[in-house]
């Protein structure tokens, strides 16, 4: 029952112990007799490639996996997140819209698309619509609350943004949420509170990319 899972885990361990090439070689040597198994092999391959920052290769692996499962929302979402790393927001949007075509109420895709449009483009009205739809489904989800607060912040609606980011920050210790909340506080004039939020975040997420980048902008 755990034949494939055991082999896929072994490939991951071999890659960590020896090298990515050794792990991928082991993975390719696993005997698989089903389309589903081959799809899972390709997903594991992509995940390994991402661990070693081989983003283009990971996209190729996810693309091959989608050939046998074009409506697989998890693979589409995973590939979309890789496109974000490659700064291909157009392709990220395409994949997330495909997820929403097949699963219109998928809150993960709704939130990811809304947040990305808010963070990486100026299409704030569209972003807000996606995030609002996700938030109706999960009103206490920290990630979605953060997205709502962030898009309102980007729209200059600071007073409306504050309760969302405050709530998100109270629900989850997360470097990105803390970065957003602190930035809102800072531009709203509460620099002391912003410093407190960021100082706490540095304790639990000192190397978080977005937090580090935010601190460099406001506390050079």
């Amino acid at each position: 029952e755990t034949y494939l899972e055991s082999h896929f885990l072994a490939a991951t361990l071999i890659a960590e112990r020896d090298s990515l090439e050794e792990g991928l070689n082991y993975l390719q040597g696993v005997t698989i007799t089903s389309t589903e198994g081959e799809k899972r092999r390709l997903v594991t391959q992509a995940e390994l490639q991402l661990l070693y920052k081989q983003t283009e290769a990971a996209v190729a692996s996810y693309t091959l996996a989608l050939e046998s499962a074009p409506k697989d929302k998890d693979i589409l979402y995973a590939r979309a997140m890789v496109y974000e790393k490659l700064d291909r927001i157009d392709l990220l949007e395409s994949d997330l819209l495909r997820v929403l075509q097949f699963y219109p109420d998928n809150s993960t895709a709704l939130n990811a698309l809304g947040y990305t449009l808010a963070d990486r483009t100026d299409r704030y009205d569209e972003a807000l619509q996606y995030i609002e739809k996700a938030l109706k489904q999960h009103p206490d989800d920290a990630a979605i609350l953060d997205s709502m607060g962030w898009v309102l912040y980007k729209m200059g609606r600071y007073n409306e943004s504050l309760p969302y980011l405050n709530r998100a920050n109270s629900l989850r210790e997360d470097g990105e949420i803390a970065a957003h909340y602190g930035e809102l506080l800072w531009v709203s004039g509460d620099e002391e509170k912003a410093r407190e939020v960021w100082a706490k975040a540095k304790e639990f997420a000192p190397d978080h990319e977005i937090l580090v980048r935010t601190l460099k902008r406001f506390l050079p």
Side-chain angles (χ1 to χ4, degrees):
E1 294 179 1
T2 59
Y3 171 81
L4 290 180
E5 288 79 2
S6 298
H7 278 301
F8 295 162
L9 177 57
T12 301
L13 295 172
I14 290 169
E16 292 176 354
R17 184 193 65 188
D18 300 329
S19 68
L20 173 61
E21 182 179 4
E22 290 296 325
L24 293 178
N25 286 339
Y26 180 89
L27 191 63
Q28 290 304 314
V30 178
T31 300
I32 294 178
T33 58
S34 68
T35 301
E36 176 66 21
E38 183 58 31
K39 181 188 75 173
R40 288 160 60 193
R41 188 209 316 254
L42 287 165
V43 169
T44 301
Q45 178 173 291
E47 291 170 347
L48 277 175
Q49 289 162 334
L50 284 175
L51 282 175
Y52 288 83
K53 303 187 185 305
Q54 295 192 5
T55 48
E56 295 280 4
V59 165
S61 295
Y62 282 133
T63 300
L64 285 173
L66 284 166
E67 290 182 0
S68 63
K71 296 183 180 181
D72 191 304
K73 64 182 185 299
D74 295 325
I75 301 177
L76 284 167
Y77 180 84
R79 188 173 69 172
M81 295 303 99
V82 182
Y83 282 139
E84 193 275 335
K85 295 178 186 295
L86 294 169
D87 201 31
R88 292 302 307 272
I89 305 305
D90 56 330
L91 296 177
L92 172 146
E93 182 177 2
S94 177
D95 273 356
L96 293 179
L97 287 175
R98 282 182 66 191
V99 174
L100 294 173
Q101 176 187 354
F102 304 133
Y103 311 95
D105 296 321
N106 186 280
S107 60
T108 302
L110 287 166
N111 183 56
L113 181 53
Y115 175 79
T116 303
L117 291 178
D119 191 56
R120 304 290 292 276
T121 78
D122 59 1
R123 294 160 58 189
Y124 303 133
D125 290 334
E126 292 177 63
L128 183 61
Q129 292 178 22
Y130 289 121
I131 297 167
E132 285 178 334
K133 191 172 181 180
L135 193 61
K136 285 182 181 179
Q137 298 181 52
H138 303 286
D140 295 317
D141 185 288
I144 302 175
L145 287 165
D146 173 65
S147 296
M148 178 61 79
W150 192 238
V151 69
L152 291 170
Y153 167 75
K154 298 282 277 190
M155 298 172 83
R157 295 159 61 176
Y158 298 163
N159 289 336
E160 295 174 69
S161 171
L162 184 60
Y164 290 106
L165 289 177
N166 180 41
R167 175 68 172 154
N169 191 65
S170 67
L171 287 173
R172 180 189 300 175
E173 287 190 339
D174 180 271
E176 184 170 2
I177 293 174
H180 291 163
Y181 184 37
E183 181 168 338
L184 171 64
L185 291 168
W186 186 281
V187 301
S188 299
D190 195 347
E191 295 182 8
E192 181 179 354
K193 178 64 174 177
R195 290 178 185 273
E196 292 177 5
V197 170
W198 287 333
K200 181 179 179 182
K202 285 173 65 178
E203 295 177 0
F204 61 77
D207 301 319
H208 193 286
E209 181 180 354
I210 293 175
L211 178 63
V212 170
R213 199 162 61 229
T214 300
L215 293 177
K216 285 183 178 179
R217 284 195 289 121
F218 290 94
L219 302 173

